[in-house]
Amino acid sequence: MYTQTNVVSGVPFNVQVNPTVTTNYTVTILQDAVRCSPINNPVGMSATITVTNGASVTAGNNVSICKGGNTQLNASGAQTYSWSPVTGLSNPNIANPIASPAVTTQYTLTGTTAAGCIGTAVVTVSIYPDPVITKSNDTAICKNTSVQLFLNGGQNYAWTPAATLNNAAIGNPVAAPASNTLYHVNFNDANGCSQTDSVLVNIRPDAIFTVSPASTLCAKDTVQLLATGGDTYNWQPATGLSNPGIASPRAFPGSTATYTVTITELVCGQSANLSTDITVNPLPVITATKSNDIDCSNNQSQLNATGAVTYNWTPAATLSNPISSQPVATPTVTTDYIVNGTDGNGCINADTVKVNVSNTGNGLYLLPNAFTPNGDGKNDCFGLLYWGIVTKLDLRIYNRWGEMVFHTTDPSACWNGTYKGTKLDSGVFVYTVKANATCQQEIFRKGIITLIR
């Protein structure tokens, strides 16, 4: 656009031109804009429009670099430059920034000449792809052994640490580490890019072998042995073992014994012989006896057990105390009583005693005519003795004035010579008994009992 001011009137006018080459333009003023009349002496004016070529900028050739590497860009053809994107550039506003992109990137260059002309260009910085390689897996080896490492797909290898490798400059060195070691390898790929990888070699720990601690058991009992840490097991002696070729056989020795197991770990070939002692305590000798059988005269039997520290009788329902060594048995039918006795070692043995119940030995269902409740443990209580098993009872005792001083329906109960908690003086009392027994029904007795103090 070229603008000329009227030198006569000062009125501006505009003329738009678009020359493709440098051109000189002349304008002649023929009429005064104010006077609206021709000018006697027209005025001529001229201007030259110089046309220059647009900016011709270059960004250099496309380039490929290794991952993590960089390259210098080189621009030309302008006075000022601007690169985009700015990612990975050391300075986006200079002609030759350092480019270090993380991924393949196309950079666009905008250049501006001194005359203000603008030009653009592009350049691509490509990242070489990762090489295709194969390498050893992480592994574990036995102590004092070796393993061959390998890495294929590269060149110019350098393994570290090199001290436990037979050759640190090849792709497949043999490693013999004394402890867990992470081997790093640096190598170049087909594009000349430096790469790094690693292989971990662990040393298998020594096998930890264990065997059951010493134990104690009672004769006829069993105990489970246990060995650990191996793949195969062999117990000796085999006698008394459920299976001598497993880790946890059951042992049932008849007497005190020592068992030895050979444990073998197959991966590294380690083995050990371990032993454990089994002490066998004998069973206690339990003896169960009875005082008598049950008949028409005896309604109970005194049982007795010996040979142990504690006892447990069964069946318990007809016993006075099933955990006593001397319980009183009152069965109504013939009964086998089993007593389990436990000694100081916790060993248990048993014996059996049979208490027979019969309708023999009729005692005529008599009662004493006197008793002495003096606490000496002899004839201290008045009740039914030698009546066998009584199934129904009504016992009443009266003083001389006809006052009832004792009454019970319990065949095991007896009168101790008291009334309302007070000891009665010596004297004569009347009793009546109505009872049913296993040997006779509807028994009635009436008589006199003398209390002696």
Side-chain angles (χ1 to χ4, degrees):
M1 174 77 68
Y2 175 75
T3 303
Q4 177 66 53
T5 300
N6 188 325
V7 298
V8 178
S9 65
V11 179
F13 63 91
N14 297 322
V15 178
Q16 182 173 342
V17 296
N18 294 291
T20 59
V21 296
T22 299
T23 306
N24 184 271
Y25 292 92
T26 301
V27 60
T28 302
I29 302 174
L30 302 176
Q31 184 173 342
D32 187 303
V34 177
R35 299 176 182 176
C36 299
S37 60
I39 299 176
N40 293 331
N41 297 310
V43 179
M45 301 184 67
S46 64
T48 299
I49 305 300
T50 301
V51 177
T52 62
N53 292 329
S56 178
V57 297
T58 61
N61 297 325
N62 294 334
V63 66
S64 294
I65 63 173
C66 300
K67 183 183 293 187
N70 60 69
T71 185
Q72 186 168 39
L73 306 182
N74 291 289
S76 62
Q79 184 176 30
T80 63
Y81 302 93
S82 176
W83 298 85
S84 67
V86 300
T87 303
L89 295 179
S90 60
N91 188 338
N93 297 313
I94 61 175
N96 55 349
I98 301 299
S100 52
V103 296
T104 295
T105 303
Q106 184 182 71
Y107 291 101
T108 300
L109 171 67
T110 300
T112 304
T113 65
C117 296
I118 298 174
T120 61
V122 296
V123 64
T124 299
V125 179
S126 300
I127 305 299
Y128 285 123
D130 290 332
V132 178
I133 64 169
T134 57
K135 71 178 183 71
S136 305
N137 293 324
D138 293 344
T139 188
I141 63 174
C142 299
K143 185 184 295 184
N144 300 321
T145 62
S146 62
V147 63
Q148 186 164 39
L149 311 180
F150 68 87
L151 189 146
N152 299 322
Q155 52 191 355
N156 301 325
Y157 301 98
W159 294 82
T160 58
T164 52
L165 297 174
N166 68 329
N167 188 340
I170 60 176
N172 57 344
V174 174
S179 60
N180 296 342
T181 302
L182 180 64
Y183 290 98
H184 296 275
V185 57
N186 295 314
F187 61 96
N188 293 329
D189 61 19
N191 296 309
C193 296
S194 178
Q195 303 287 341
T196 300
D197 215 317
S198 63
V199 177
L200 176 63
V201 178
N202 286 323
I203 304 300
R204 291 182 180 275
D206 289 335
I208 300 175
F209 301 126
T210 66
V211 71
S212 307
S215 59
T216 300
L217 68 155
C218 301
K220 299 183 181 180
D221 286 348
T222 68
V223 64
Q224 187 161 37
L225 306 179
L226 177 62
T228 65
D231 299 303
T232 65
Y233 301 87
N234 184 22
W235 295 83
Q236 294 293 331
T239 303
L241 295 180
S242 60
N243 186 341
I246 62 175
S248 55
R250 288 206 72 85
F252 39 93
S255 59
T256 297
T258 298
Y259 288 98
T260 300
V261 58
T262 300
I263 310 172
T264 303
E265 182 271 334
L266 298 179
V267 175
C268 294
Q270 295 179 321
S271 65
N273 294 321
L274 302 177
S275 298
T276 185
D277 295 322
I278 306 298
T279 301
V280 178
N281 290 320
L283 299 181
V285 178
I286 307 300
T287 302
T289 60
K290 64 183 177 181
S291 61
N292 56 268
D293 288 322
I294 306 298
D295 56 21
C296 295
S297 296
N298 296 289
N299 64 349
Q300 64 184 28
S301 178
Q302 178 73 59
L303 305 185
N304 183 64
T306 60
V309 176
T310 62
Y311 301 90
N312 187 12
W313 294 82
T314 58
T318 54
L319 294 176
S320 60
N321 184 351
I323 61 173
S324 168
S325 65
Q326 296 179 320
V328 174
T330 55
T332 58
V333 296
T334 297
T335 302
D336 287 326
Y337 289 98
I338 301 171
V339 59
N340 288 295
T342 304
D343 66 11
N345 294 319
C347 296
I348 301 173
N349 207 352
D351 196 15
T352 302
V353 61
K354 182 187 292 289
V355 176
N356 296 297
V357 177
S358 68
N359 292 329
T360 63
N362 193 323
L364 302 178
Y365 305 106
L366 302 177
L367 291 168
N369 57 14
F371 76 110
T372 56
N374 55 11
D376 64 356
K378 299 177 181 179
N379 200 24
D380 284 330
C381 200
F382 174 75
L384 306 184
L385 295 175
Y386 309 114
W387 279 41
I389 299 173
V390 176
T391 58
K392 184 177 180 181
L393 173 68
D394 186 280
L395 169 62
R396 300 170 187 263
I397 300 175
Y398 302 88
N399 62 20
R400 69 179 66 181
W401 296 282
E403 182 181 11
M404 187 170 65
V405 296
F406 180 75
H407 174 252
T408 185
T409 59
D410 182 1
S412 64
C414 61
W415 183 46
N416 61 2
T418 63
Y419 178 56
K420 295 182 179 180
T422 300
K423 293 181 179 180
L424 299 180
D425 294 333
S426 298
V428 176
F429 297 84
V430 177
Y431 67 84
T432 62
V433 177
K434 295 179 180 180
N436 289 338
T438 57
C439 294
Q440 183 177 331
Q441 299 293 307
E442 297 182 358
I443 304 168
F444 178 75
R445 297 286 184 272
K446 182 177 181 180
I448 295 173
I449 180 71
T450 301
L451 188 160
I452 303 173
R453 291 290 185 184

